[in-house]
Structures are given as structure tokens and as C-alpha cells.
Amino acid sequence: MTLPNFVKSVTWREWLGLAAGLLALGSTFLPWTTLTATRPDIEDILTQLPHGDVVRDAWHSSFFAWCPPLPLLLAGLVVVVFGRIRNLRISGLPHLWLVVAAASLLLMALGWFTLDWEFDADQRGIFEAAGIAIGPGLGRFLGLFAALVSCVVAFLDVRAMRAESRQPRKARSKIR
């Protein structure tokens, strides 16, 4: 199969799954955890600190920040490369994609709820006394969005695979 034929044979769902994985990976380089202050004097101090002390990307945050985007990317790549193999699709490739996307979404949600655990108890106490809030950054929002998109598209792919398996062999080529 030549490259143009391969590109045409990949469904929009599979391309969207790969795009979600790439977006998730790209989001890891954006801020995932940020420190903000409500008082102007503390905000001035935060602006004078090194950028890495105030803003953290996924690679310098917790496990729940850097881990979930990697399976999303891997799932997107696998679905695009192996999605044309009928035996793999029937054997559960769309289901595997859905499970990986849901697990990544769950890990990101856990990361959201454990956001302050990136700092030890002493640091959290100092932050609270100074009026410093630990908050999510843009990367965390984009990563969560990518995981949601991947879940929805994987679910749609599972439904399409079920409809495809019920059709006679000649009609299957027209569905994709």
C-alpha cells in the first residue's frame, strides 16, 4: 500500500485519535501547575522567583501529569498504523483504544484532585499562610481535553466497528 492510499484509508476517527495523542504530548511542555497569589506584594515576589519555581510543566510535576499523555499518543499511533487490519479491529483494537483513553482520563482526573500533593506539607503550609494558591495551568486543561476527545472518538470507533461487523463483506468497504 502506497503512502497516499494509506492516508486515504485511515478514518477520520483514527486521525482524530492521533491528533488527540499529539495534543496531549504537546500539552506536557506547557504549564501544568502554577502558583498564584491574591495579595499584590506576594504576587511581586512570585514574579521575581525563577520561572520553574512558580510554573511547572508536566515533566516537572507529578506522575499524574506526565504519564497519561504517553498512552494516549501510543494509542493514537497504534490505531492509525494498525486500524486497517480487519482481524485486529474485530479482535478489539477499538476497545483497547477506549480502555487506554479512559484510563488516561482517569489518571488526569486523579492528578487534578492531587494537585497540591506536588508540594510537601511544609510548602503547602507556607503557601496557605502567604495566600498562595496552587492551580492548574493551560497544559493540564489541554491534556484533559485531548483525553476527553480520545475517549469520545474511541467510543464512536467501537460503535462503528460493531456496525461494520454486522454488515456483509461487500458493504463494509463503503462504511469506512
Side-chain angles (χ1 to χ4, degrees), residues 31-48:
W32 275 62
T33 306
T34 60
L35 299 178
T36 56
T38 54
R39 295 185 356 215
D41 56 334
I42 301 295
E43 188 68 40
D44 289 340
I45 293 170
L46 287 179
T47 57
Q48 294 171 6

Side-chain angles (χ1 to χ4, degrees), residues 105-124:
L105 183 61
L106 176 66
L107 286 174
M108 284 187 193
L110 282 172
W112 204 290
F113 291 116
T114 61
L115 191 61
D116 357 347
W117 293 5
E118 292 181 27
F119 301 93
D120 62 30
D122 293 336
Q123 289 174 320
R124 289 193 306 264

Side-chain angles (χ1 to χ4, degrees), residues 68-172:
L70 299 178
L72 279 179
L73 176 64
L74 183 62
L77 288 170
V78 166
V79 167
V80 165
V81 172
F82 297 111
R84 253 101 333 277
I85 302 172
R86 180 169 162 33
N87 288 339
L88 288 177
R89 284 190 58 77
I90 290 175
S91 296
L93 182 63
H95 294 89
L96 180 63
W97 176 19
L98 181 59
V99 168
V100 167
S104 292
L105 183 61
L106 176 66
L107 286 174
M108 284 187 193
L110 282 172
W112 204 290
F113 291 116
T114 61
L115 191 61
D116 357 347
W117 293 5
E118 292 181 27
F119 301 93
D120 62 30
D122 293 336
Q123 289 174 320
R124 289 193 306 264
I126 293 169
F127 292 161
E128 188 176 330
I132 296 174
I134 303 166
L138 176 65
R140 197 171 293 269
F141 288 105
L142 284 177
L144 189 64
F145 174 73
L148 277 170
V149 166
S150 188
C151 276
V152 169
V153 175
F155 175 75
L156 293 174
D157 201 43
V158 167
R159 294 201 41 165
M161 187 272 307
R162 285 184 180 170
E164 183 180 303
S165 65
R166 289 188 209 128
Q167 297 291 328
R169 188 170 274 264
K170 289 182 182 179
R172 285 186 194 138

Side-chain angles (χ1 to χ4, degrees), residues 6-21:
F6 172 78
V7 170
K8 288 178 185 176
S9 69
V10 177
T11 66
W12 65 269
R13 295 177 304 275
E14 294 162 346
W15 282 124
L16 203 51
L18 178 61

